[in-house]
Amino acid sequence: MKYGHFDDENREYVITNPKTPYPWINYLGNEDFFSLTSNTGGGYTFYKDAKFRRLTRYRYNNVPVDNGGKYFYIKDGDTVWSPSWKPAQTALDSYECRHGMSYTKFKGSKDGIVTEVLQFIPLGFWGEIQQVTVKNTSSETKKIKLFSFVEWCLWNAEDDMTNYQRNLNTGEVEIEDSVLYHKTEFKERRNHYAFYSVNQAIDGFDTDRESFMGMYNGFDAPEAVLNGQPTNSVAHGWSPIGSHYIEIELQPGQEKQFVFMLGYVELEEENKWESKAVINKNPAKEMIAKYDSVQKVQVAFDELKEYWDQLLGKIQIDSGEDKLDRMVNIWNQYQCMVTFNMSRSASFFESGIGRGMGFRDSNQDLIGFVHQIPERARERIIDIASTQFEDGSCYHQYQPLTKKGNATVGGDFNDDPLWLILSTTEYIKETGDFSLLDELVPFDNDMSKAKPHFEHLKASFYHVVNNLGSHNLPLIGRADWNDCLNLNCFSKDPNESFQTTGNKKDGKAESLMIAGLFVVYGKEFVNLCLQIGKQEEASKAQGHIDQMIAAVKEDGWDGDWYLRAYDYYGNKVGSQENEEGKIFIESQGWCSMAGIGMEEGMVEKSLNAVKKHLDCDYGIVLNSPAFSKYYIEYGEISTYPAGYKENGGIFCHNNPWIMIGETLLGRGDQAYEYYTKIAPSFLEDISELHKVEPYVYCQMIAGKEAVKPGEAKNSWLSGTASWNFYTITQYILGVKPTYNGLLINPCIPKAWDGFKIKRVFRGVTYHIEVKNPVHVCKGVKELFVNGEKMNGNIVPVLSTNKEHTVLVVLG
Ligand code: BGC
Ligand code: NOJ
């Protein structure tokens, strides 16, 4: 069953039934200032950091689940309704929610009144616009009442939902004309306030929640709205809100438009006040003036569209398969921008207070984003590397506001450092900008310890070399990519988190996943050294890689697949010998991608084993059989019920690693089949089961051993976005940036006749057409650039013209 449809032309998903199986959300904002908005108007807004600078309040895990947001109420006679259906939940005559590229539009109608709400954040602006259009389509004159509503968060989202003995006394507001200012804590250590405005005179307002709501009413039926009369309340403590009240009279056919703005202001200490206890409102007024008419809003909205035209225009495909095209051309790229911005901080599953920016997560997110805005990717790489320690280890996470490592989350995840080599090499291949390597980057955010960025990569590489276990395989540390495989943890205490609890200090467990990862990114490190003339460095590193390959062949092969690990006691994990968890996806993915034992047939056997033991109708599960009881020596992985999350769930992030492995074997049909199993647009028809948005990837789909296989959770913020984009474009469609040009090496389903792809690379546009006349999966027979036949399958970096044509014939 579907709850809407794709509108590819407008790059929107159009939801036509508000009762989606879970809130289907969108993100507004591209840099610094962001909002989350659900298909029924739920969500919240923050500046840079969803923990430390939250503007509006949102209650996670609410009943019903999505309650609280940026709301509008219309009172027409005795009927109260909302254009986004919620909060009023009055049955509408029509409802539509269009989630587009950084904007959302609602359109609801009731009894001849049509109301549209357009929400977006203009580029480079610290404010959300809500443009409300109310039209009378009836034949009578209508007098209606419009109420807006936001609930302020007292900035620190964690404190806001826990520290009531203080919070209920601190709330402060100011009201001037049509602008409601939120200034809690401004008089002490804060240099910021928020405001909520509308571009015309109002007929009343409320700023105190209970005065507006009434003590016993919910968001669906605020007392002020039911009474058709605001109370003009001024909040002192309790819960400050912002609600405007406007009386509207509309002749038949007439419409009126209003521009609301939810904004954020920061001030220098000396400019904070206008007079005693009165905040300096000038910056807010300037912001309001910037968009005080629908014409000005339209210009900003057009700019936003233009921005996305340009970003998405860098990679566009025409494959003949709509579902694939809309993923690659629109939604997957869009999601990559969102994961780049949010890491794992704020979604409807991530509460915005705990996770900040992940070291491994953000490095991986970058590979799906770097082609869009390479300058931002460069800055991000430096931010991440700055949190690394001199021995190559790093903080697992950092706060976006301070860019400092988050000490409470700790470190010692021994895969973390290697991902920095991935992001850096992908950045340089995309841009050709080797200067990043010379950039002075601090260790542990301490400039006195700064070294050229290249030294960070070296530290990353040698962190593995310096931390090998008894089988000469990498020590896992707290955990590797699978941060639930806590092999040195041995936690007995339900009050401690597996993610932060003290590890056994002499942790001996070893990881085959890190071994594969090390070989893949070790080779990248070597390749990079060769590019910049560091021959000696390269051959030294190559020696360590060769030893790692030997160690995997020697002690990492289980007969039909790669082992997953050795546990603390030196016992095998992910082996035929184990009763449960006999085979894991991660080591099959990484050792295959590394090509370890390719000649001996290991890669093929491993991927065949994945197909046989891990594949199911909804994707590839992480491990099999799933654990049915708690294994203290394995940790969190065995805490999840069978079939969920890291215990036998389809953890979508890692499925592309297998797809890439398949493309190395040339099995294009298999790679693509895996792709279509988890790509959301292919799951639209089973939305009822899948539950989450059909336009973005989710972290986890319940696996074959789950109670409800196919049911998904944790949409949006997952490395799934970047890995799938990377895999489909660079390994399946096979257009891959290299230091010296674009490598063209597709691995597609045999049945395809070919496809077209437009790729902007280093400022130059390539129109690539791939033809598959004899129906093979892989193998470039001929390649022509501007009609000229090339040797090999690399399109060199061309700068003479801005547009080039490339013809590729497979065979
Ligand atoms: C989850 C992981 C997540 C980790 C980090 C675990 O509970 O299962 O997917 O990465 O927490 O917070
Ligand atoms: C989600 C985390 O964000 C990521 O860092 C981790 O690799 C996966 N879960 C797997 O456990």
Side-chain angles (χ1 to χ4, degrees):
M1 179 178 167
K2 300 207 290 187
Y3 294 81
H5 57 269
F6 286 94
D7 176 347
D8 294 335
E9 187 109 353
N10 288 308
R11 299 188 300 229
E12 292 170 337
Y13 193 82
V14 189
I15 300 164
T16 47
N17 177 352
K19 293 187 183 178
T20 49
Y22 208 74
W24 286 2
I25 75 161
N26 194 14
Y27 285 82
L28 317 179
N30 300 85
E31 219 172 335
D32 291 348
F33 194 80
F34 301 101
S35 295
L36 283 68
T37 189
S38 77
N39 60 308
T40 55
Y44 60 95
T45 295
F46 62 94
Y47 167 76
K48 278 193 183 170
D49 193 313
K51 176 174 177 180
F52 289 126
R53 288 287 186 283
R54 198 171 299 193
L55 267 74
T56 61
R57 192 173 271 171
Y58 191 74
R59 294 166 185 80
Y60 278 89
N61 205 5
N62 216 325
V63 182
V65 73
D66 176 26
N67 229 0
K70 273 56 110 2
Y71 287 154
F72 289 98
Y73 302 87
I74 288 168
K75 185 156 198 286
D76 179 5
D78 287 335
T79 310
V80 172
W81 60 280
S82 300
S84 51
W85 180 59
K86 275 177 85 170
Q89 289 189 45
T90 303
L92 298 178
D93 297 338
S94 69
Y95 156 92
E96 189 181 86
C97 165
R98 290 179 172 261
H99 284 320
M101 303 290 104
S102 312
Y103 67 86
T104 289
K105 281 181 185 169
F106 296 100
K107 187 174 180 180
S109 69
K110 182 84 187 161
D111 302 336
I113 296 289
V114 182
T115 303
E116 290 187 54
V117 181
L118 165 67
Q119 298 180 334
F120 73 103
I121 293 166
L123 294 169
F125 195 65
W126 294 353
E128 175 187 309
I129 304 278
Q130 302 158 354
Q131 180 178 283
V132 178
T133 307
V134 193
K135 184 169 183 173
N136 180 3
T137 60
S138 77
S139 49
E140 295 147 33
T141 300
K142 287 265 196 181
K143 281 186 176 179
I144 59 168
K145 296 170 171 184
L146 176 69
F147 295 82
S148 67
F149 176 84
V150 297
E151 183 179 10
W152 300 113
C153 178
L154 309 185
W155 304 113
N156 180 328
E158 187 172 27
D159 212 47
D160 185 67
M161 61 182 205
T162 47
N163 192 7
Y164 302 110
Q165 58 81 28
R166 171 176 161 83
N167 292 345
L168 296 179
N169 295 292
T170 55
E172 287 190 287
V173 298
E174 281 184 35
I175 300 131
E176 190 183 288
D177 303 326
S178 307
V179 193
L180 313 171
Y181 295 89
H182 175 227
K183 61 168 188 178
T184 299
E185 293 186 347
F186 188 75
K187 72 170 183 215
E188 27 127 347
R189 295 156 297 170
R190 296 194 179 276
N191 64 348
H192 43 268
Y193 64 76
F195 64 89
Y196 192 30
S197 66
V198 57
N199 68 339
Q200 74 145 57
I202 52 176
D203 300 296
F205 60 85
D206 267 299
T207 65
D208 172 64
R209 190 182 69 198
E210 264 69 58
S211 306
F212 178 74
M213 285 289 166
M215 188 46 90
Y216 300 99
N217 302 34
F219 290 119
D220 59 325
E223 215 163 76
V225 179
L226 297 183
N227 293 340
Q229 189 62 54
T231 73
N232 295 345
S233 57
V234 180
H236 297 282
W238 298 109
S239 291
I241 61 156
S243 173
H244 306 92
Y245 167 69
I246 303 173
E247 292 171 359
I248 306 170
E249 183 172 320
L250 293 169
Q251 302 306 316
Q254 193 188 0
E255 72 172 29
K256 286 194 177 162
Q257 294 191 292
F258 309 90
V259 182
F260 291 84
M261 183 187 293
L262 176 64
Y264 171 84
V265 168
E266 272 185 7
L267 286 160
E268 304 283 310
E269 190 59 36
E270 54 282 11
N271 283 328
K272 279 177 71 169
W273 303 100
E274 179 186 305
S275 56
K276 189 161 186 262
V278 179
I279 61 173
N280 174 357
K281 302 187 180 64
N282 289 334
K285 288 180 183 167
E286 279 168 28
M287 286 175 72
I288 294 166
K290 201 163 175 199
Y291 299 110
D292 60 1
S293 70
V294 288
Q295 290 76 15
K296 291 181 186 172
V297 170
Q298 188 61 43
V299 172
F301 190 56
D302 290 344
E303 277 168 13
L304 184 66
K305 184 173 177 300
E306 177 69 20
Y307 174 79
W308 277 106
D309 282 347
Q310 192 252 332
L311 289 184
L312 298 177
K314 294 186 174 176
I315 298 184
Q316 286 291 298
I317 65 163
D318 176 4
S319 71
E321 163 59 274
D322 288 350
K323 292 181 179 135
L324 173 61
D325 289 2
R326 63 173 66 111
M327 283 318 307
V328 174
N329 295 342
I330 307 170
W331 293 99
N332 199 171
Q333 294 202 61
Y334 181 57
Q335 189 180 0
C336 285
M337 161 73 96
V338 172
T339 56
F340 176 83
N341 282 330
M342 301 286 139
S343 195
R344 305 295 168 270
S345 65
S347 72
F348 267 29
F349 298 86
E350 302 281 8
S351 64
I353 57 177
R355 310 259 327 256
M357 312 294 283
F359 192 100
R360 73 158 82 92
D361 295 326
S362 289
N363 276 310
Q364 292 174 75
D365 291 344
L366 205 128
I367 67 174
F369 172 79
V370 60
H371 68 285
Q372 295 187 33
I373 314 181
E375 309 76 53
R376 288 190 67 198
R378 190 183 203 274
E379 186 191 340
R380 175 64 50 77
I381 292 171
I382 293 173
D383 288 348
I384 298 172
S386 305
T387 65
Q388 190 175 30
F389 296 103
E390 283 163 299
D391 69 355
S393 64
C394 43
Y395 288 109
H396 196 46
Q397 284 168 27
Y398 70 93
Q399 280 309 128
L401 190 68
T402 59
K403 296 187 175 178
K404 295 266 167 60
N406 182 335
T408 42
V409 181
D412 286 338
F413 293 83
N414 281 351
D415 65 311
D416 269 342
L418 288 173
W419 302 106
L420 189 63
I421 303 180
L422 164 71
S423 60
T424 303
T425 51
E426 287 300 318
Y427 167 79
I428 299 176
K429 287 177 190 171
E430 180 68 41
T431 58
D433 171 21
F434 284 91
S435 76
L436 170 62
L437 298 174
D438 303 324
E439 202 73 52
L440 276 184
V441 180
F443 284 98
D444 194 13
N445 291 101
D446 178 351
M447 243 357 231
S448 72
K449 296 184 192 155
K451 286 208 177 130
H453 183 63
F454 177 80
E455 295 300 319
H456 284 261
L457 303 188
K458 201 170 147 187
S460 292
F461 181 88
Y462 283 97
H463 186 261
V464 177
V465 176
N466 296 333
N467 288 282
L468 298 178
S470 59
H471 300 90
N472 288 319
L473 293 166
L475 291 172
I476 200 168
R478 184 176 293 284
D480 62 23
W481 172 87
N482 185 337
D483 47 23
C484 296
L485 193 60
N486 318 115
L487 297 180
N488 298 310
C489 174
F490 292 84
S491 180
K492 281 192 194 139
D493 179 357
N495 296 322
E496 62 188 14
S497 153
F498 288 100
Q499 301 298 317
T500 51
T501 193
N503 267 330
K504 280 199 188 300
K505 272 288 161 233
D506 60 342
K508 298 176 192 129
E510 294 163 275
S511 161
L512 265 302
M513 171 182 168
I514 303 183
L517 197 65
F518 175 76
V519 174
V520 172
Y521 296 121
K523 286 181 186 167
E524 287 295 342
F525 179 67
V526 167
N527 192 5
L528 181 69
C529 289
L530 294 175
Q531 293 291 325
I532 55 175
K534 291 189 189 282
Q535 254 75 14
E536 223 172 289
E537 193 76 71
S539 55
K540 199 176 140 207
Q542 188 59 51
H544 293 295
I545 296 168
D546 294 342
Q547 283 170 19
M548 186 67 78
I549 294 173
V552 174
K553 288 186 184 174
E554 176 84 17
D555 287 313
W557 182 248
D558 195 52
D560 281 319
W561 56 78
Y562 304 98
L563 290 176
R564 177 62 175 87
Y566 282 97
D567 70 12
Y568 179 76
Y569 303 109
N571 294 326
K572 293 175 182 171
V573 180
S575 160
Q576 298 274 12
E577 291 169 18
N578 298 117
E579 213 173 298
E580 302 188 314
K582 286 171 182 286
I583 172 170
F584 283 69
I585 195 170
E586 302 99 330
S587 45
Q588 314 317 319
W590 283 100
C591 294
S592 293
M593 284 161 76
I596 300 174
M598 181 71 98
E599 323 74 48
E600 294 93 330
M602 288 180 179
V603 173
E604 195 179 344
K605 274 193 184 167
S606 148
L607 295 180
N608 289 347
V610 167
K611 175 85 192 154
K612 184 165 169 206
H613 301 286
L614 301 179
D615 184 31
C616 75
D617 287 351
Y618 303 104
I620 311 168
V621 300
L622 191 146
N623 58 308
S624 179
F627 299 108
S628 60
K629 57 177 198 207
Y630 178 50
Y631 292 79
I632 192 169
E633 70 276 27
Y634 289 0
E636 183 169 353
I637 189 168
S638 60
T639 64
Y640 290 109
Y644 295 92
K645 290 273 289 172
E646 281 88 343
N647 185 21
I650 297 153
F651 209 93
C652 302
H653 183 147
N654 53 38
N655 278 219
W657 302 339
I658 299 299
M659 297 172 207
I660 295 177
E662 290 289 349
T663 64
L664 300 184
L665 290 180
R667 304 199 295 202
D669 286 295
Q670 185 57 73
Y672 190 65
E673 187 196 295
Y674 286 143
Y675 176 81
T676 59
K677 279 187 180 174
I678 61 166
S681 60
F682 288 80
L683 306 174
E684 191 190 11
D685 288 335
I686 56 161
S687 286
E688 213 171 13
L689 168 66
H690 186 67
K691 252 187 151 112
V692 293
E693 299 89 334
Y695 41 91
V696 289
Y697 284 98
C698 58
Q699 184 205 55
M700 200 273 313
I701 303 175
K704 57 185 178 178
E705 294 182 65
V707 172
K708 210 174 183 188
E711 184 184 66
K713 292 190 187 101
N714 202 352
S715 53
W716 284 97
L717 303 187
S718 164
T720 309
S722 60
W723 273 105
N724 273 281
F725 188 71
Y726 184 71
T727 302
I728 187 72
T729 54
Q730 301 201 14
Y731 290 88
I732 297 180
L733 302 172
V735 177
K736 191 168 181 41
T738 69
Y739 296 114
N740 309 314
L742 279 179
L743 172 73
I744 315 281
N745 197 14
C747 183
I748 54 177
K750 274 191 255 12
W752 283 17
D753 293 324
F755 63 91
K756 290 188 186 144
I757 178 165
K758 174 188 152 203
R759 176 61 153 99
V760 178
F761 179 59
R762 303 194 194 169
V764 174
T765 305
Y766 299 88
H767 299 277
I768 304 166
E769 179 166 9
V770 175
K771 292 189 171 167
N772 191 16
V774 294
H775 292 280
V776 294
C777 286
K778 194 174 182 180
V780 172
K781 195 169 128 216
E782 289 178 314
L783 187 141
F784 302 86
V785 178
N786 298 323
E788 196 187 317
K789 191 162 189 268
M790 311 298 288
N791 285 328
N793 56 348
I794 291 201
V795 180
V797 180
L798 300 169
S799 51
T800 39
N801 283 313
K802 284 279 176 208
E803 308 259 333
H804 300 275
T805 58
V806 178
L807 175 66
V808 184
V809 184
L810 304 183

